[in-house]
Amino acid sequence: MSVLDPRIHRERTDGVNIAGTIWPLYKLEALAAGLLTLLVVLVVTTSAQSAVLGAAAVTVVVWWVRKAQQHALRS
């Protein structure tokens, strides 16, 4: 069985195993920042539109900035 073969070299990846898939940390950080932003803006403004748009914007910015930082560290 190839699954139990100790000669298989597994490449180390920086991430978290979620349901058998390795998620890079920058993705999880972006999702956490987006969720936190959603909750804070929703409580402060009581406007779902503002909360969703703000959370989406923060998630995208954190996602791309952290991805660029990770790429720069590997290069």
Side-chain angles (χ1 to χ4, degrees):
M1 294 178 66
S2 63
V3 174
L4 299 176
D5 190 357
R7 294 174 292 173
I8 296 175
H9 174 55
R10 296 185 186 253
E11 184 177 319
R12 183 176 179 272
T13 58
D14 293 330
V16 177
N17 186 352
I18 299 177
T21 302
I22 301 295
W23 278 62
L25 291 177
Y26 70 88
K27 289 183 180 182
L28 298 174
E29 291 169 349
L31 292 174
L35 181 61
L36 181 64
T37 302
L38 176 75
L39 295 175
V40 168
V41 174
L42 187 61
V43 167
V44 170
T45 66
T46 65
S47 170
Q49 293 98 345
S50 299
V52 169
L53 288 174
V58 167
T59 302
V60 168
V61 169
V62 170
W63 186 299
W64 285 104
V65 168
R66 293 290 292 136
K67 183 176 181 179
Q69 288 175 342
Q70 186 179 29
H71 181 68
L73 289 174
R74 289 187 178 181
S75 297

